[in-house]
Each structure stands twice: as structure tokens, then as C-alpha cells.
Amino acid sequence: MLSQNTNTIDIGFTHDDFAALLDKYDYHFSPGDIVAGTVFSLEPRGALIDIGAKTAAYIPIQEMSINRVDAPEEVLQSNETREFFILTDENEDGQLTLSIRRIEYMRAWERVRQLQAEDATVRSLVFATNRGGALVRIEGLRGFIPGSHISTRKPKEDLVGEELPLKFLEVDEDRNRLVLSHRRALVERKMNRLEVGEVVVGSVRGIKPYGAFIDIGGVSGLLHISEISHDHIDTPHSVFNVNDELKVMIIDLDAERGRISLSTKQLEPEPGDMINNRDRVYDKAEEMAQKYREKMLAQQEGVSPESEEYEVDEEFVSATEE
């Protein structure tokens, strides 16, 4: 009987070494990672994605977009490769949960922060209203316009479906707060055509103890009680009624806060004319405004203006619209 010797060649590489090598090249995924994946199966309410893990990852339909999705085919196609956000650790079956919505969400906040830094004006459709204001979407994010920052005579409910120009008031990703202003956008657009020292015609929109709000071409300016007349006034109600039409002069334009400050006091030929002889104020408005502009220019150039017939009170106390 012939004996057969089997020679084992030592190659210096064991099964344990091979397992370790596999582990070395096995990808380890963690929640928060962004990875490339390929769609290989579309399911009724989600999709299976190959990201190189031992088990196919899964993306549910509600994580496919920042917007509403009714079917996976609206967002994904078979064999498509794209980025995915790892949402959760592996479940008991070793499967990871993915998200596209989270990536879009992060990039949307980055974009609106950039738009805010640029002080950009954006446009968006109102999709709903509530007691506090109106709701819009900016870059897919839900934004809120407070009622005090909606400049329109329409009822809020009638704004649904209307596109509005908007400026950013607050962008806070941590608190999920995106607050916008329609009023600021309108005032800025109006301000581009207005100048300090200009006389404009407006109508009284509202009266408060501290002043009257004047509608000038669709935007509101404040005529503070201290800027109505050189004579003392107890309350603006004693001088104006709602819907009164009057001439006012612009004395300040604050684009950042969306405010226009107005004056009739600076248009008075004589102290107290706004109370005793309003027609004279309106007749002399352009003449008095020219004197005001010349005085402001002289002050800017460091030249003392010529003496006035009466002392002008330079104090103006700003107030915010309630």
C-alpha cells in the first residue's frame, strides 16, 4: 500500500487574518454621516439603497424630500446614485435608515442664512393663515409672517395663494424659527424712490397716543406727536381723524427696520400753523421743505445755518407700530 503524504504549505495567512482583513475593509456607518448610495429597489412606501453595507439600507417615503411625496418614483429612480443621510443605527436586522429630507433641510437653512446675510428680498406664496399671521415656504422651509408685518388692506384669509415680496426678520435653525416681513420689503422698495426732505401726500391710517400712521403709496410712515407741530399737542386725536389726507415731509428712512419717519412740524411757516392754519402749511410745504434740506446740507458740511424766525426743536422720539 502506497502511503501518500500531503504537504501543507505555510503561507503565513490564517483564517483569523482573513476575517480581520474583511473587517478592515468593512465600512462602518454612523448616524449623521452622508454617504453615496444606489437605488436598487423601489417599494410602495420607501426604497432599498445599496450604500456598501452588509445589508441594504432603507429610506421611508416621508424621508425622501423636504416637500410632500406621494410615491417614491417622484423622487428616486432605479439604479440612481445620490447622497443619503444616515438617520439611525442598524436595527435588529442590521438595516440602516436613510434620509434625503435631512440633507435638503440642512442645505435649506444654509441657503436662507446666506440670503439673510445678503439682506435679500425673496418672494413666496402664502399657503395658509392663522390668528397670528401668514405661512409661506422659503427654500422648502416653513416661514411665518407676523400680522404686524403684513402690509395689505386685504383680510389675511384672502392672501392664501398670493405671492408676496419678503425680507428676513429672524433665521434660527436651532429653534426652527424663520420669520419674515412683507412690510419691510414694501418699505424698502418704496424707500428706493423716496428721499429725506421730500414732501409726500398721505392719508391717516391709524391714530395712537404717540402719533399717527400715514399711508404713503401703500406703505406706512409714523408722524410722531412731537413732529406734528411746534405748539404743544395733548393727543394726535385732537388734530387728525382717520382717512384725513395731508402733506408730510420725510425726515428719516430706516430700511433695516422698515420704518419711515414723517413730520408736519418742519413744514410750519409759523409755530402752531398745523393746529390753527393747516392750509397755509400745505401751501408753503415745498418752500419750507427746501429750507429744511438746505439746513440739513449746511449741517452736514459743518456750516452754521442762517438764523431761523423761530427755534426748531430737533428732538424726534422714534416709536414702533403696535
Side-chain angles (χ1 to χ4, degrees), residues 226-287:
S226 65
E227 283 295 332
I228 294 175
S229 175
H230 284 86
D231 279 6
H232 175 73
I233 293 172
D234 292 326
T235 171
H237 288 88
S238 64
V239 183
F240 303 118
N241 294 310
V242 173
N243 296 324
D244 279 359
E245 189 173 279
L246 62 156
K247 285 185 178 181
V248 291
M249 185 176 68
I250 299 168
I251 58 172
D252 187 57
L253 295 169
D254 188 339
E256 183 176 347
R257 292 187 296 176
R259 294 178 186 167
I260 301 174
S261 300
L262 307 170
S263 176
T264 51
K265 178 176 75 175
Q266 308 296 345
L267 300 179
E268 288 184 322
E270 297 289 341
D273 276 349
M274 269 306 293
I275 303 169
N276 305 314
N277 193 350
R278 193 182 302 184
D279 288 341
R280 185 179 182 216
V281 175
Y282 297 162
D283 290 341
K284 297 282 188 178
E286 294 295 344
E287 179 183 334

Side-chain angles (χ1 to χ4, degrees), residues 31-59:
D33 290 346
I34 294 178
V35 297
T38 301
V39 180
F40 72 88
S41 178
L42 295 174
E43 308 291 328
R45 302 299 297 171
L48 294 174
I49 313 295
D50 180 9
I51 61 170
K54 295 177 181 178
T55 303
Y58 182 72
I59 178 169

Side-chain angles (χ1 to χ4, degrees), residues 26 34 74 124 140 147 157 194 198 210 220 309:
D26 184 28
I34 294 178
E74 295 176 15
S124 181
E157 297 75 15
L194 296 176
E198 181 181 355
Y210 51 80
S220 181
E309 295 180 4

